[in-house]
Amino acid sequence: MRKIFNIFSKALACVLSGILLCGCGASGSVLCQSMDTAMGTVVAQTIFCPDEESGEEASDAIIELLNQLERQELSWRLETSEVFAVNGAAGSGDGFLLSKEMTLVINECLRLSEESEGAFDVTLGSVTRLWNIDSWAAGGVTEGFVPPDRELLIKTLGDSGSSKLRLEPEVRGDNGETVQARIFLTEGMQLDLGAVGKGIALDLILDSLGSSEVNGAVVSVGGSVLTYGRKPNGAAWKVGIRDPLNPSENIGMLLLEGQWCVSTSGDYERYVEVDGVRYHHILDPATGMPADSGVRSVTILSKEGLLSDALSTACFVLGVEKGMALADRCGAEALFVTAEGETVMTEGMEEYYWSE
Ligand code: ADP
Ligand code: MG
Protein backbone atom coordinates (compact mmCIF):
# COMPACT_ATOMS: atom_id res chain seq x y z
CA MET A 1 0.00 0.00 0.00
CA ARG A 2 1.62 3.29 -0.96
CA LYS A 3 0.93 6.96 -1.07
CA ILE A 4 3.51 9.41 -2.34
CA PHE A 5 3.21 13.11 -1.79
CA ASN A 6 5.79 14.81 -3.89
CA ILE A 7 5.47 18.50 -3.56
CA PHE A 8 6.52 19.14 -7.11
CA SER A 9 3.95 16.81 -8.53
CA LYS A 10 0.54 17.54 -9.92
CA ALA A 11 -2.07 19.35 -7.89
CA LEU A 12 -0.17 19.31 -4.64
CA ALA A 13 2.49 21.44 -6.23
CA CYS A 14 -0.06 24.21 -6.71
CA VAL A 15 -0.83 24.27 -3.03
CA LEU A 16 2.58 23.68 -1.60
CA SER A 17 5.27 24.68 -4.04
CA GLY A 18 5.19 28.26 -2.86
CA ILE A 19 6.03 27.25 0.65
CA LEU A 20 8.63 24.76 -0.40
CA LEU A 21 10.28 26.79 -3.06
CA CYS A 22 11.13 29.28 -0.35
CA GLY A 23 12.91 26.51 1.53
CA CYS A 24 14.40 25.05 -1.62
CA GLY A 25 15.73 28.15 -3.34
CA ALA A 26 19.04 28.49 -1.57
CA SER A 27 19.94 24.83 -1.32
CA GLY A 28 18.16 23.42 -4.36
CA SER A 29 16.52 20.69 -2.28
CA VAL A 30 13.27 18.98 -3.16
CA LEU A 31 11.05 17.52 -0.46
CA CYS A 32 9.51 14.05 -0.99
CA GLN A 33 7.09 12.64 1.55
CA SER A 34 5.59 9.18 1.45
CA MET A 35 3.56 6.80 3.56
CA ASP A 36 3.73 3.02 3.15
CA THR A 37 3.07 -0.17 5.05
CA ALA A 38 6.04 -2.49 5.55
CA MET A 39 7.17 -4.90 8.28
CA GLY A 40 3.59 -4.87 9.55
CA THR A 41 3.69 -1.20 10.41
CA VAL A 42 3.43 2.29 8.96
CA VAL A 43 6.56 3.71 7.34
CA ALA A 44 6.59 7.49 6.96
CA GLN A 45 9.40 9.17 5.03
CA THR A 46 10.35 12.81 4.69
CA ILE A 47 13.29 13.14 2.35
CA PHE A 48 15.22 16.16 1.10
CA CYS A 49 16.98 15.44 -2.21
CA PRO A 50 18.64 17.35 -5.07
CA ASP A 51 15.73 16.43 -7.36
CA GLU A 52 12.43 14.60 -7.51
CA GLU A 53 13.89 11.54 -9.20
CA SER A 54 16.57 10.87 -6.60
CA GLY A 55 14.00 11.39 -3.84
CA GLU A 56 11.62 8.78 -5.23
CA GLU A 57 14.51 6.42 -5.89
CA ALA A 58 15.74 6.68 -2.28
CA SER A 59 12.26 6.25 -0.90
CA ASP A 60 11.54 3.18 -3.07
CA ALA A 61 14.89 1.68 -2.08
CA ILE A 62 14.01 2.02 1.61
CA ILE A 63 10.69 0.22 1.19
CA GLU A 64 12.33 -2.57 -0.80
CA LEU A 65 15.00 -2.90 1.86
CA LEU A 66 12.37 -3.25 4.62
CA ASN A 67 10.39 -5.84 2.66
CA GLN A 68 13.56 -7.78 2.01
CA LEU A 69 14.60 -7.66 5.67
CA GLU A 70 11.24 -9.06 6.70
CA ARG A 71 11.14 -11.69 3.94
CA GLN A 72 14.72 -12.93 4.13
CA GLU A 73 15.70 -12.45 7.74
CA LEU A 74 13.27 -11.49 10.46
CA SER A 75 9.80 -12.89 9.93
CA TRP A 76 8.90 -15.89 12.07
CA ARG A 77 5.89 -16.55 9.82
CA LEU A 78 7.45 -16.53 6.35
CA GLU A 79 9.15 -19.75 5.27
CA THR A 80 11.63 -17.67 3.28
CA SER A 81 13.23 -16.07 6.34
CA GLU A 82 16.31 -17.01 8.33
CA VAL A 83 14.48 -16.77 11.66
CA PHE A 84 11.93 -19.27 10.32
CA ALA A 85 14.76 -21.68 9.43
CA VAL A 86 16.47 -21.21 12.80
CA ASN A 87 13.20 -21.91 14.61
CA GLY A 88 12.62 -24.98 12.46
CA ALA A 89 15.97 -26.37 13.62
CA ALA A 90 15.17 -25.98 17.34
CA GLY A 91 16.19 -29.06 19.29
CA SER A 92 18.24 -30.50 16.42
CA GLY A 93 21.84 -31.56 17.04
CA ASP A 94 23.03 -29.76 13.90
CA GLY A 95 21.63 -26.37 14.84
CA PHE A 96 21.64 -23.80 12.06
CA LEU A 97 24.53 -21.91 10.46
CA LEU A 98 23.67 -18.21 10.64
CA SER A 99 24.46 -15.70 7.92
CA LYS A 100 27.13 -13.11 8.72
CA GLU A 101 24.48 -10.42 9.21
CA MET A 102 22.40 -12.56 11.55
CA THR A 103 25.49 -13.64 13.49
CA LEU A 104 26.13 -9.97 14.31
CA VAL A 105 22.49 -9.39 15.26
CA ILE A 106 22.19 -12.43 17.53
CA ASN A 107 25.54 -11.71 19.19
CA GLU A 108 24.43 -8.17 19.97
CA CYS A 109 21.05 -9.39 21.24
CA LEU A 110 22.74 -11.85 23.59
CA ARG A 111 25.04 -9.13 24.86
CA LEU A 112 22.06 -6.87 25.57
CA SER A 113 20.18 -9.69 27.20
CA GLU A 114 23.06 -10.13 29.62
CA GLU A 115 23.49 -6.38 30.11
CA SER A 116 19.78 -6.03 30.96
CA GLU A 117 19.88 -9.03 33.32
CA GLY A 118 17.46 -10.88 31.08
CA ALA A 119 14.84 -8.10 30.73
CA PHE A 120 15.44 -8.15 26.98
CA ASP A 121 15.29 -11.66 25.56
CA VAL A 122 14.90 -12.69 21.91
CA THR A 123 14.25 -16.34 22.81
CA LEU A 124 10.71 -15.63 24.03
CA GLY A 125 9.13 -16.66 20.71
CA SER A 126 7.13 -19.57 22.14
CA VAL A 127 5.83 -17.33 24.93
CA THR A 128 4.88 -14.41 22.66
CA ARG A 129 3.03 -16.93 20.46
CA LEU A 130 1.06 -18.19 23.45
CA TRP A 131 -0.12 -14.64 23.95
CA ASN A 132 -0.93 -14.49 20.24
CA ILE A 133 0.42 -10.94 20.17
CA ASP A 134 0.58 -10.76 16.38
CA SER A 135 -3.17 -11.12 16.12
CA TRP A 136 -3.93 -8.21 18.43
CA ALA A 137 -5.52 -5.35 16.61
CA ALA A 138 -4.24 -1.82 17.05
CA GLY A 139 -6.42 0.00 19.54
CA GLY A 140 -6.93 -2.90 21.92
CA VAL A 141 -10.07 -4.51 20.51
CA THR A 142 -9.67 -8.23 19.90
CA GLU A 143 -12.69 -10.52 19.89
CA GLY A 144 -12.58 -13.55 22.13
CA PHE A 145 -9.07 -13.10 23.53
CA VAL A 146 -8.27 -15.41 26.45
CA PRO A 147 -4.97 -15.04 28.35
CA PRO A 148 -2.80 -18.17 28.17
CA ASP A 149 -3.23 -20.97 30.65
CA ARG A 150 -0.97 -20.33 33.65
CA GLU A 151 0.63 -23.79 33.77
CA LEU A 152 1.32 -23.83 30.06
CA LEU A 153 2.81 -20.35 30.31
CA ILE A 154 5.22 -21.40 33.06
CA LYS A 155 6.24 -24.52 31.14
CA THR A 156 6.78 -22.59 27.91
CA LEU A 157 8.78 -19.96 29.78
CA GLY A 158 10.96 -22.76 31.13
CA ASP A 159 11.80 -23.79 27.54
CA SER A 160 12.90 -20.20 26.76
CA GLY A 161 15.79 -18.02 27.90
CA SER A 162 18.92 -16.62 26.24
CA SER A 163 21.18 -18.35 28.77
CA LYS A 164 20.10 -21.72 27.27
CA LEU A 165 20.83 -20.64 23.71
CA ARG A 166 24.16 -21.81 22.29
CA LEU A 167 26.13 -19.93 19.66
CA GLU A 168 29.26 -21.66 18.34
CA PRO A 169 31.76 -19.72 16.24
CA GLU A 170 32.25 -21.44 12.89
CA VAL A 171 34.01 -18.88 10.71
CA ARG A 172 36.52 -16.52 12.25
CA GLY A 173 38.04 -13.32 10.90
CA ASP A 174 41.72 -12.30 10.76
CA ASN A 175 41.64 -11.07 14.35
CA GLY A 176 39.90 -14.13 15.69
CA GLU A 177 36.49 -12.45 15.80
CA THR A 178 33.42 -14.54 15.00
CA VAL A 179 32.23 -13.88 11.46
CA GLN A 180 29.67 -16.65 11.29
CA ALA A 181 28.23 -18.77 14.07
CA ARG A 182 26.06 -21.84 14.36
CA ILE A 183 23.02 -21.40 16.55
CA PHE A 184 21.44 -24.10 18.71
CA LEU A 185 17.96 -23.50 20.10
CA THR A 186 16.78 -26.01 22.67
CA GLU A 187 13.59 -27.98 22.07
CA GLY A 188 10.58 -25.71 22.50
CA MET A 189 12.61 -22.51 22.18
CA GLN A 190 11.81 -20.04 19.38
CA LEU A 191 13.38 -16.76 18.30
CA ASP A 192 11.28 -13.59 18.20
CA LEU A 193 13.18 -10.53 16.96
CA GLY A 194 10.10 -8.30 17.15
CA ALA A 195 11.72 -6.08 19.78
CA VAL A 196 14.66 -5.17 17.52
CA GLY A 197 13.30 -5.55 13.97
CA LYS A 198 12.53 -1.89 13.46
CA GLY A 199 15.82 -0.86 14.97
CA ILE A 200 17.73 -3.20 12.64
CA ALA A 201 15.73 -1.60 9.83
CA LEU A 202 16.92 1.87 10.87
CA ASP A 203 20.56 0.71 10.79
CA LEU A 204 20.09 -0.61 7.26
CA ILE A 205 18.26 2.52 6.11
CA LEU A 206 21.12 4.59 7.44
CA ASP A 207 23.58 2.61 5.31
CA SER A 208 21.41 3.01 2.23
CA LEU A 209 21.02 6.77 2.78
CA GLY A 210 24.78 7.10 3.07
CA SER A 211 25.21 5.91 -0.49
CA SER A 212 22.27 7.92 -1.88
CA GLU A 213 21.90 11.53 -2.93
CA VAL A 214 19.68 12.30 0.05
CA ASN A 215 20.70 15.45 1.95
CA GLY A 216 18.42 14.98 4.89
CA ALA A 217 15.65 12.63 6.01
CA VAL A 218 13.33 11.54 8.78
CA VAL A 219 12.11 7.96 8.41
CA SER A 220 9.79 6.37 10.94
CA VAL A 221 9.18 2.63 11.00
CA GLY A 222 6.41 2.21 13.56
CA GLY A 223 7.75 3.42 16.90
CA SER A 224 11.34 3.76 15.68
CA VAL A 225 12.51 6.94 14.00
CA LEU A 226 15.72 7.78 12.15
CA THR A 227 16.94 11.31 11.54
CA TYR A 228 19.67 11.85 8.98
CA GLY A 229 21.57 14.81 7.52
CA ARG A 230 20.17 18.31 7.46
CA LYS A 231 17.07 20.24 6.56
CA PRO A 232 17.70 22.77 3.77
CA ASN A 233 16.98 25.62 6.19
CA GLY A 234 19.31 24.20 8.83
CA ALA A 235 16.54 23.76 11.42
CA ALA A 236 16.55 20.78 13.79
CA TRP A 237 14.51 17.64 13.11
CA LYS A 238 11.50 17.33 15.40
CA VAL A 239 10.55 13.90 16.68
CA GLY A 240 7.32 13.90 18.72
CA ILE A 241 6.95 11.77 21.84
CA ARG A 242 3.44 10.45 22.26
CA ASP A 243 1.50 10.88 25.45
CA PRO A 244 0.79 7.27 26.50
CA LEU A 245 -2.20 8.43 28.53
CA ASN A 246 -3.62 10.22 25.48
CA PRO A 247 -1.88 8.70 22.41
CA SER A 248 -3.32 11.17 19.91
CA GLU A 249 -1.28 13.93 21.59
CA ASN A 250 2.43 14.47 22.10
CA ILE A 251 3.88 15.19 25.55
CA GLY A 252 6.84 16.87 23.95
CA MET A 253 9.44 16.45 21.25
CA LEU A 254 13.11 15.84 20.66
CA LEU A 255 15.00 18.44 18.66
CA LEU A 256 17.78 16.63 16.82
CA GLU A 257 20.53 17.50 14.40
CA GLY A 258 22.13 14.94 12.09
CA GLN A 259 21.94 11.22 12.61
CA TRP A 260 19.92 9.79 15.52
CA CYS A 261 17.72 6.81 16.27
CA VAL A 262 14.70 7.24 18.53
CA SER A 263 12.73 4.18 19.66
CA THR A 264 9.65 4.14 21.82
CA SER A 265 8.07 1.14 23.53
CA GLY A 266 4.71 1.67 25.18
CA ASP A 267 1.68 -0.20 26.45
CA TYR A 268 -0.77 1.91 24.45
CA GLU A 269 -0.35 0.62 20.91
CA ARG A 270 -0.63 -3.12 21.01
CA TYR A 271 -2.83 -4.46 23.75
CA VAL A 272 -6.05 -6.25 24.52
CA GLU A 273 -8.48 -5.56 27.32
CA VAL A 274 -10.43 -8.32 29.03
CA ASP A 275 -12.72 -7.63 31.99
CA GLY A 276 -11.05 -4.27 32.55
CA VAL A 277 -7.51 -5.75 32.58
CA ARG A 278 -5.10 -4.49 29.95
CA TYR A 279 -2.65 -7.00 28.51
CA HIS A 280 0.08 -5.38 26.43
CA HIS A 281 2.80 -6.81 24.20
CA ILE A 282 5.99 -6.27 26.22
CA LEU A 283 6.57 -9.30 28.38
CA ASP A 284 8.61 -9.63 31.53
CA PRO A 285 10.84 -12.66 30.85
CA ALA A 286 10.85 -13.38 34.59
CA THR A 287 7.11 -14.08 34.65
CA GLY A 288 5.96 -14.44 31.03
CA MET A 289 3.32 -11.79 31.83
CA PRO A 290 3.04 -8.27 30.41
CA ALA A 291 5.66 -6.19 32.21
CA ASP A 292 4.34 -4.22 35.15
CA SER A 293 7.17 -1.92 36.17
CA GLY A 294 5.18 1.27 36.70
CA VAL A 295 5.93 2.85 33.31
CA ARG A 296 3.63 3.47 30.35
CA SER A 297 6.29 4.27 27.78
CA VAL A 298 10.05 4.52 27.32
CA THR A 299 11.83 6.49 24.60
CA ILE A 300 15.50 5.82 23.87
CA LEU A 301 17.82 8.13 21.96
CA SER A 302 20.99 6.64 20.52
CA LYS A 303 23.16 6.68 17.41
CA GLU A 304 22.29 3.05 16.68
CA GLY A 305 18.96 1.55 15.68
CA LEU A 306 19.24 -1.96 17.09
CA LEU A 307 20.50 -0.60 20.40
CA SER A 308 17.74 2.00 20.76
CA ASP A 309 15.02 -0.54 19.91
CA ALA A 310 16.35 -3.23 22.26
CA LEU A 311 16.81 -0.73 25.08
CA SER A 312 13.31 0.71 24.77
CA THR A 313 11.91 -2.79 25.33
CA ALA A 314 14.40 -3.65 28.10
CA CYS A 315 13.86 -0.36 29.96
CA PHE A 316 10.10 -0.79 29.77
CA VAL A 317 10.51 -4.14 31.54
CA LEU A 318 13.00 -2.78 34.09
CA GLY A 319 11.19 0.43 35.08
CA VAL A 320 12.66 3.85 35.82
CA GLU A 321 15.52 3.17 38.21
CA LYS A 322 17.09 0.09 36.66
CA GLY A 323 16.21 1.30 33.15
CA MET A 324 18.03 4.62 33.66
CA ALA A 325 21.10 2.74 34.85
CA LEU A 326 20.98 0.37 31.86
CA ALA A 327 20.66 3.24 29.35
CA ASP A 328 23.58 4.93 31.04
CA ARG A 329 25.76 1.80 30.85
CA CYS A 330 24.94 1.51 27.15
CA GLY A 331 25.69 5.16 26.36
CA ALA A 332 22.07 5.95 25.42
CA GLU A 333 19.57 8.53 26.68
CA ALA A 334 16.17 7.52 28.06
CA LEU A 335 12.84 9.17 28.78
CA PHE A 336 10.16 7.41 30.81
CA VAL A 337 6.49 8.28 31.21
CA THR A 338 5.31 6.67 34.42
CA ALA A 339 1.88 5.24 35.22
CA GLU A 340 1.18 8.49 37.10
CA GLY A 341 1.92 10.50 33.96
CA GLU A 342 5.22 11.83 35.27
CA THR A 343 8.09 12.35 32.80
CA VAL A 344 11.52 11.21 34.01
CA MET A 345 14.65 11.39 31.84
CA THR A 346 18.41 11.03 31.86
CA GLU A 347 20.38 14.23 32.15
CA GLY A 348 21.64 13.93 28.57
CA MET A 349 18.08 13.64 27.23
CA GLU A 350 17.19 17.04 28.70
CA GLU A 351 19.43 18.68 26.10
CA TYR A 352 17.18 17.46 23.30
CA TYR A 353 13.76 17.46 24.94
CA TRP A 354 11.34 20.29 24.41
CA SER A 355 7.87 20.61 25.88
CA GLU A 356 5.48 23.54 26.18
P1 ADP B 1 7.12 -2.52 19.14
O1 ADP B 1 7.30 -3.79 18.38
O2 ADP B 1 5.72 -2.10 19.32
O3 ADP B 1 8.01 -1.42 18.65
P2 ADP B 1 8.95 -3.36 21.13
O4 ADP B 1 10.11 -2.90 20.33
O5 ADP B 1 9.00 -3.05 22.59
O6 ADP B 1 7.60 -2.79 20.61
O7 ADP B 1 8.88 -4.93 20.91
C1 ADP B 1 7.84 -5.70 21.43
C2 ADP B 1 7.82 -7.04 20.73
O8 ADP B 1 9.01 -7.77 21.08
C3 ADP B 1 6.66 -7.90 21.14
O9 ADP B 1 5.62 -7.80 20.19
C4 ADP B 1 7.25 -9.30 21.19
O10 ADP B 1 7.22 -9.87 19.89
C5 ADP B 1 8.68 -9.08 21.57
N1 ADP B 1 8.93 -9.03 23.04
C6 ADP B 1 8.04 -8.86 24.04
N2 ADP B 1 8.65 -8.80 25.24
C7 ADP B 1 9.99 -8.92 24.99
C8 ADP B 1 11.16 -8.92 25.81
N3 ADP B 1 11.10 -8.78 27.14
N4 ADP B 1 12.35 -9.06 25.19
C9 ADP B 1 12.46 -9.21 23.86
N5 ADP B 1 11.39 -9.24 23.03
C10 ADP B 1 10.17 -9.07 23.58
MG1 MG C 1 12.05 -2.42 21.05
Side-chain angles (χ1 to χ4, degrees):
M1 204 195 299
R2 171 145 235 219
K3 262 183 163 176
I4 291 197
F5 312 100
N6 187 307
I7 54 115
F8 278 8
S9 70
K10 302 181 188 118
L12 267 179
C14 309
V15 188
L16 295 174
S17 61
I19 304 164
L20 278 140
L21 276 173
C22 300
C24 296
S27 65
S29 251
V30 168
L31 166 64
C32 285
Q33 289 183 292
S34 64
M35 192 92 87
D36 297 82
T37 321
M39 297 181 77
T41 193
V42 176
V43 180
Q45 306 186 50
T46 298
I47 291 181
F48 291 97
C49 256
D51 52 52
E52 187 179 332
E53 205 185 336
S54 55
E56 281 194 25
E57 218 170 82
S59 147
D60 287 347
I62 285 172
I63 297 305
E64 179 48 29
L65 181 155
L66 297 182
N67 288 333
Q68 204 174 318
L69 177 66
E70 178 79 341
R71 212 168 40 230
Q72 293 182 359
E73 294 183 47
L74 302 184
S75 172
W76 63 267
R77 283 180 189 280
L78 298 176
E79 290 178 18
T80 46
S81 87
E82 196 165 344
V83 164
F84 189 92
V86 171
N87 285 342
S92 93
D94 293 341
F96 183 88
L97 181 63
L98 294 173
S99 63
K100 290 180 187 169
E101 295 77 15
M102 199 59 98
T103 299
L104 284 175
V105 165
I106 300 293
N107 252 326
E108 182 64 355
C109 287
L110 292 181
R111 184 183 77 79
L112 290 168
S113 184
E114 234 178 274
E115 194 70 65
S116 67
E117 291 173 7
F120 167 77
D121 194 329
V122 289
T123 70
L124 287 182
S126 301
V127 182
T128 58
R129 243 146 282 168
L130 269 190
W131 283 97
N132 215 357
I133 288 171
D134 272 20
S135 73
W136 299 358
V141 187
T142 297
E143 290 288 316
F145 171 79
V146 183
D149 172 73
R150 192 95 201 117
E151 249 174 64
L152 182 60
L153 185 65
I154 300 296
K155 187 199 165 300
T156 311
L157 196 59
D159 292 335
S160 315
S162 284
S163 58
K164 294 190 207 91
L165 182 148
R166 217 157 35 95
L167 209 54
E168 283 184 4
E170 193 148 316
V171 180
R172 290 193 187 269
D174 293 343
N175 302 318
E177 76 280 13
T178 303
V179 173
Q180 250 182 301
R182 188 171 288 274
I183 191 169
F184 296 85
L185 304 192
T186 53
E187 186 83 46
M189 181 190 282
Q190 297 279 277
L191 286 186
D192 175 348
L193 296 185
V196 279
K198 294 160 198 153
I200 294 169
L202 297 194
D203 288 332
L204 293 176
I205 293 172
L206 192 60
D207 284 349
S208 100
L209 287 175
S211 56
S212 73
E213 291 183 62
V214 172
N215 302 318
V218 179
V219 181
S220 68
V221 185
S224 292
V225 185
L226 169 76
T227 65
Y228 170 86
R230 288 168 57 83
K231 273 189 189 175
N233 65 4
W237 303 112
K238 292 178 187 157
V239 178
I241 298 177
R242 295 253 209 105
D243 180 354
L245 312 180
N246 183 11
S248 56
E249 303 281 328
N250 285 338
I251 51 158
M253 61 177 79
L254 299 181
L255 300 176
L256 304 169
E257 281 172 23
Q259 175 211 322
W260 286 102
C261 294
V262 183
S263 274
T264 299
S265 287
D267 69 0
Y268 53 89
E269 266 199 337
R270 246 193 221 207
Y271 62 91
V272 283
E273 264 171 4
V274 184
D275 301 332
V277 180
R278 177 182 289 216
Y279 299 94
H280 61 77
H281 73 316
I282 303 169
L283 304 179
D284 183 345
T287 61
M289 298 292 289
D292 183 18
S293 63
V295 304
R296 298 290 310 271
S297 79
V298 183
T299 298
I300 300 287
L301 175 68
S302 140
K303 292 284 179 188
E304 291 158 55
L306 188 157
L307 183 71
S308 65
D309 202 0
L311 286 183
S312 68
T313 308
C315 290
F316 188 97
V317 173
L318 289 172
V320 174
E321 208 174 304
K322 287 184 170 174
M324 293 268 253
L326 173 66
D328 216 40
R329 285 200 299 281
C330 294
E333 304 304 337
L335 181 150
F336 298 77
V337 181
T338 68
E340 291 77 35
E342 222 188 321
T343 307
V344 188
M345 67 191 98
T346 54
E347 226 176 277
M349 187 69 108
E350 284 172 21
E351 274 179 47
Y352 306 99
Y353 183 69
W354 183 87
S355 170
E356 268 175 28

